[in-house]
Amino acid sequence: MNGLRARGVRVRFGATQVLDGVDLDVPGGQVVALVGPNGAGKSTLLGVLAGDVRPDEGSVELDAVDVRAIRLTDLARRRAVLLQENRLSFPFEVSDVVRMGRAPWQGTPREDDDDRVVAATMATAEVTHLAARRYPTLSGGEKGRASFARTLAQEPGVLLLDEPTAALDIRHQESLLAEAARRAAAGAAVVVVLHDLTLAAAYAHRVVVLGEGRVRGDGPPREVLTAELLSDVYDHPIEVVERPGADEIVVLPVRARVLEETR
């Protein structure tokens, strides 16, 4: 299949089983959201899909080829990864940070597109006005948007995004995920780790719920994001409601019981 395919993935860190027999398909044309509580294995699974974390058992294929058999340069041309933390020690300007995303295409005919792609992705991420700013001087949200622009500049067929909305305001959360959806509509396979379950429901074609390293649910948002499953996985009462006048669901924590217990 085109896209990503994981089978029987197990990862242990010391005595801790982080992923336990995970199967996952991410075809081109889909946004797949990974959700679950802290420690469920979401970021580790994303690292395995990227080829950056070697599983103890199981395999991951990118376009039907084992990721471990793909040269690093070729891998960088085919998938891009946006990490949870945007760290950069040197005081590069934002335009230079975004241009780093073009590195895999150096020495190829696509290098001729560098200026156009960098300008376009900076506009998409709304960081054009920050072009001359030093990256370390940016706010957390500005760093997140600049890093997203760098990721888009790679022009990959697979986008792997780890909590890309964590530091963003509401408008930029919506615009980032809308762009991810547009990339999927153009044929990309997109995997995004999210904590906001309502955002996941709005933008993902499929939601994969992880709990204790296992897949607890995988399917369309309305089928997977149920109050029963989420309350169990998160160990907290959760309500799923229809948004009046819109074909959307909203996922909310039930606070009444918790507030009562604190009084």
Side-chain angles (χ1 to χ4, degrees):
M1 59 169 277
N2 291 327
L4 287 165
R5 176 185 175 92
R7 287 294 178 270
V9 171
R10 287 183 167 83
V11 175
R12 289 179 293 275
F13 295 148
T16 303
Q17 187 82 48
V18 180
L19 293 174
D20 189 7
V22 172
D23 295 336
L24 180 65
D25 291 317
V26 188
Q30 283 194 1
V31 176
V32 175
L34 303 181
V35 305
N38 294 336
K42 303 181 298 295
S43 294
T44 300
L45 178 56
L46 202 77
V48 173
L49 294 175
D52 295 332
V53 175
R54 191 179 187 92
D56 295 292
E57 297 178 36
S59 64
V60 174
E61 293 181 351
L62 171 58
D63 296 335
V65 179
D66 192 313
V67 293
R68 291 171 292 188
I70 302 174
R71 293 190 312 162
L72 289 179
T73 300
D74 292 336
L75 196 58
R77 292 172 182 167
R78 297 165 67 177
R79 65 96 177 99
V81 185
L82 179 59
L83 297 175
Q84 197 175 125
E85 296 184 26
N86 305 299
R87 292 182 178 178
L88 193 61
S89 300
F90 296 100
F92 291 108
E93 292 184 355
V94 169
S95 59
D96 293 327
V97 171
V98 178
R99 190 171 293 274
M100 290 175 187
R102 300 299 298 165
W105 301 107
Q106 187 174 5
T108 75
R110 289 177 65 169
E111 186 177 22
D112 296 338
D113 295 332
D114 284 2
D115 290 343
R116 176 189 62 79
V117 172
V118 168
T121 56
M122 289 182 69
T124 296
E126 298 185 39
V127 293
T128 303
H129 66 292
L130 301 173
R133 285 274 301 276
R134 301 292 182 181
Y135 185 84
T137 71
L138 302 181
S139 71
E142 289 169 337
K143 288 178 180 177
R145 283 155 44 207
S147 296
F148 182 56
R150 174 192 55 75
T151 304
L152 295 180
Q154 282 183 239
E155 296 188 300
V158 175
L159 272 172
L160 303 171
L161 312 174
D162 195 357
E163 296 190 39
T165 61
L168 302 186
D169 58 41
I170 291 174
R171 181 170 73 86
H172 288 109
Q173 288 179 2
E174 297 289 335
S175 63
L176 184 150
L177 289 174
E179 179 60 25
R182 282 190 288 270
R183 297 282 168 149
V190 181
V191 184
V192 54
V193 175
L194 291 172
H195 277 296
D196 189 321
L197 301 177
T198 300
L199 276 178
Y203 285 100
H205 297 91
R206 283 175 34 234
V207 174
V208 176
V209 180
L210 292 174
E212 297 181 339
R214 299 184 181 91
V215 174
R216 296 289 306 277
D218 181 351
R222 286 179 180 274
E223 294 180 11
V224 172
L225 296 179
T226 66
E228 181 181 13
L229 175 61
L230 296 177
S231 297
D232 180 47
V233 169
Y234 284 91
D235 193 25
H236 185 97
I238 291 175
E239 182 180 12
V240 180
V241 298
E242 293 281 346
R243 181 182 173 192
D247 185 25
E248 291 183 328
I249 59 174
V250 178
V251 182
L252 300 168
V254 177
R255 298 191 176 98
R257 191 185 80 186
V258 177
L259 290 174
E260 188 64 31
E261 290 173 352
T262 63
R263 290 173 183 155

